[in-house]
Amino acid sequence: MKTATRRAGIVAGLAGLVAAGAAVGLAAERYAIGRIRGGPDPEADERFGRLPADRTRTVTTNDGLPLAVEEVGPRDAPLTVVFLHGYCLTMGSWHYQRTGLADMTNPRIRMVFYDARSHGHSGRAPTETATIDQLGDDLFRVLQELVPTGRVALVGHSMGGMTIMALADRHPELFGPRVVGVVLLSTSTGQLDEVTLGLPAITTKLRPPVLPYALRVMRSRATLIERSRRIGSDLAWLLTRRYSFGSSDVSPALVEYVGQMISSTPVEVVADFFPALHAHDKLAALGVLRDVEVLVVVGDKDLLTPVDHSRRMAEALADAELLVLEGAGHLAMMERPALVNLRLRAFLHRAYRAATGGQHRGIR
């Protein structure tokens, strides 16, 4: 009896020490985050999510869902560039490309941005339509509606890159005659279920039995989870910085904005699309891209779509250009915007020039 009581006391004491340590750790963490957020930030006045558009419109998908679209640049530009954002993000993730490429003149470009189904300001889709193939069909509809003629370049980040692969799989006839260039940024052709996310490798073995239950809980306890997301804002901020960026000195305002995009994505939508990402397998579709200019971009600190996935894509496309950004994470186009924009300018110029027989020279 005394032994059991002693053991219980020891366990309680240890639990108390752990709880106290956790409380101190959390307090220190909150203090550190407060200092980071409150420190000098060159991006503090950046107009994240508030950039003006030349035109706004709605495109209706083949199953009747409204997609929010914004355009920047002249309607009659010789090249239209369509930007496709990633999972749990919005068109706002292309903030720096929208500001940094607007003055491009050789060729002049029209930029098209839209929120994927169930993301941002687009309509909420039924669970059964949360698939990569459906996203490819949505992209096809956007092209039909907004770019019925003329040359197009597609720039896809993460899930957006997968969307381009789905379009290539279902509409290979577009690539070459119409789609003259493709940028695949921080994306993958598949095997995402093997990604460790920076955690011990054994966690990938635990995912299959746990995942279906976790997704059911996310859908059934959505209100409770949404409340927890708000309460745990400091932890969410740290996780956003860790999984979106490769460096710790990234702008606090930028981390905050990315966190807002992620947290604005309903829990049910997170659960709806997660299986589609892990079932994604479009390696065969890469063959369609051999007829167009391709740029593959990835940060070497990307924990979500690791650099090896981009290397495999570049190896499958012998003529593709591979750009590995040192120290950058999953949101490389926001973390290294100047370099990404510089390479995008060169790429768009090269793709358009190749499609038009070298009529234009010089990059601006």
Side-chain angles (χ1 to χ4, degrees), residues 175-187:
F175 290 78
R178 294 286 319 286
V179 178
V180 299
V182 168
V183 179
L184 300 172
L185 200 157
S186 303
T187 190

Side-chain angles (χ1 to χ4, degrees), residues 53-57 69-73 110-113 146:
D54 291 335
R55 293 168 297 279
T56 60
R57 58 186 302 172
V69 181
E70 296 186 359
E71 297 180 48
V72 176
R110 171 177 61 142
M111 294 184 285
V112 173
F113 308 88
L146 298 183

Side-chain angles (χ1 to χ4, degrees), residues 21-86:
V24 171
L26 182 58
E29 183 179 271
R30 288 180 181 272
Y31 174 73
I33 293 171
R35 292 194 64 182
I36 293 170
R37 287 177 166 177
D41 183 358
E43 305 292 290
D45 295 326
E46 195 70 30
R47 299 186 64 191
F48 294 121
R50 296 180 288 118
L51 293 177
D54 291 335
R55 293 168 297 279
T56 60
R57 58 186 302 172
T58 300
V59 170
T60 303
T61 66
N62 56 7
D63 59 345
L65 204 70
L67 300 179
V69 181
E70 296 186 359
E71 297 180 48
V72 176
R75 296 178 190 270
D76 61 349
L79 180 66
T80 296
V81 186
V82 181
F83 292 83
L84 300 106
H85 67 76

Side-chain angles (χ1 to χ4, degrees), residues 96-157:
Y96 291 109
Q97 287 62 55
R98 189 159 164 166
T99 59
L101 299 177
D103 65 345
M104 187 168 173
T105 58
N106 196 3
R108 289 181 302 129
I109 62 173
R110 171 177 61 142
M111 294 184 285
V112 173
F113 308 88
Y114 72 94
D115 288 334
R117 60 175 49 219
S118 295
H119 291 70
H121 294 292
S122 289
R124 179 70 173 274
T127 297
E128 61 272 15
T129 69
T131 68
I132 302 299
D133 283 337
Q134 180 61 60
L135 293 178
D137 289 344
D138 293 348
L139 172 56
F140 182 64
R141 185 75 191 94
V142 169
L143 295 178
Q144 282 183 313
E145 184 75 17
L146 298 183
V147 203
T149 61
R151 294 180 173 90
V152 185
L154 303 175
V155 183
H157 170 252

